[in-house]
Amino acid sequence: LADAGFVVVRYDKRGIGQSGGRPETATLADYADDARAAVNYLRRDRKDVDADRIAVVGHSEGAWVALQLGAATRDVKALVLVAGASGTGGSLVLEQQQHLLE
């Protein structure tokens, strides 16, 4: 995307890499707040960004986060959801645990 001329912000979620925070206490709403902070940074601090053309790409759990963010703000003009779960969070966790046990 950057090679195609898009401004891209990619970050690690709480507790991953050098991001700080504690992932075991974070909720999807917390992650959506973090994503909103990234959007606000683009809108307010980056003069090279068209605030009317901000899109958010969410992968896996990030797809749920992107949906929450998109529902909560009009600052995001497009969502791209990649490999998001199609069931409930509870069923996803059970499926993941079953897979690990196999």
Side-chain angles (χ1 to χ4, degrees), residues 65-78:
V65 172
L67 282 172
Q68 281 199 350
L69 176 62
T73 182
R74 293 179 183 231
D75 293 338
V76 175
K77 303 305 180 187

Side-chain angles (χ1 to χ4, degrees), residues 1-9:
L1 291 172
D3 287 345
F6 293 91
V7 174
V8 177
V9 174

